[in-house]
Amino acid sequence: MKDWQHGFDIDYLKGIEKKYEDYNKYTLSPFAKYKKNNIAEGLFKGTLTILDDAMLEVVESKSASNITMHGDTVIAKKQKGDMTVGKLVGNLDTIKKCLEYPTDMHGLAPRDVWLYVWAENKEHCKLAEDSG
């Protein structure tokens, strides 16, 4: 077993990666794809949430940081404690319920929630709009 696997079976990681095929088809770079090594890291850190029929990544900001578009255009600023939700796959109703009452990893309500979706994924864009 490789160190990057963090103790997770390779077939388990590949099975999750297969469920991310729809997400990964929107990426323009192979480095942006959510692959087995990223999945292992998310599971190890507790940021990847696996539900019965959906998955998403939830990350708490450890410090303030800029949100940029196209590499250098600042469009917003995350604050420490804000939540970033992304890497959505699966049942949109399940994901929407998760977005209604988001909490950080300590069970506390965050200051703000930032939802990342691919602009080309019209279903996820509608989910973002419907979720406010």
Side-chain angles (χ1 to χ4, degrees), residues 20 42-43 46-51 54-58 98:
Y20 270 94
L43 291 168
T47 57
L48 177 59
T49 301
I50 300 177
L51 305 164
M55 291 183 279
L56 54 121
E57 185 180 63
V58 181
C98 290

Side-chain angles (χ1 to χ4, degrees), residues 119-132:
E120 298 80 9
N121 186 327
K122 299 306 175 199
E123 288 181 325
H124 287 185
C125 289
K126 181 166 178 8
L127 170 74
E129 289 175 15
D130 291 348
S131 298

Side-chain angles (χ1 to χ4, degrees), residues 4-122:
W4 63 262
Q5 289 176 249
H6 296 287
F8 296 100
D9 181 75
I10 191 70
D11 292 329
Y12 175 66
L13 297 173
K14 286 180 180 179
I16 294 173
E17 181 179 29
K18 184 149 183 67
K19 294 177 182 177
Y20 270 94
E21 284 179 349
D22 184 63
Y23 174 87
N24 287 333
K25 78 179 180 184
Y26 292 100
T27 63
L28 298 176
S29 164
F31 300 108
K33 292 185 184 289
Y34 202 53
K35 299 177 282 199
K36 57 189 176 290
N37 58 309
N38 309 111
I39 292 163
E41 186 77 13
L43 291 168
F44 178 72
K45 289 183 173 179
T47 57
L48 177 59
T49 301
I50 300 177
L51 305 164
D52 290 335
D53 58 356
M55 291 183 279
L56 54 121
E57 185 180 63
V58 181
V59 178
E60 181 181 353
S61 296
K62 301 296 178 202
S63 61
S65 62
N66 292 331
I67 298 175
T68 59
M69 286 183 69
H70 312 295
D72 58 355
T73 303
V74 177
I75 61 170
K77 188 168 192 159
K78 290 186 218 176
Q79 300 300 318
K80 181 178 178 179
D82 286 357
M83 303 303 294
T84 301
V85 178
K87 305 206 174 37
L88 313 175
V89 295
N91 186 311
L92 294 181
D93 289 331
T94 302
I95 295 169
K96 189 172 184 177
K97 287 178 188 170
C98 290
L99 296 175
E100 287 175 3
Y101 302 103
T103 60
D104 66 18
M105 290 175 257
H106 310 291
L108 303 172
R111 183 177 7 220
D112 284 310
V113 177
W114 302 93
L115 179 61
Y116 285 22
V117 299
W118 295 114
E120 298 80 9
N121 186 327
K122 299 306 175 199

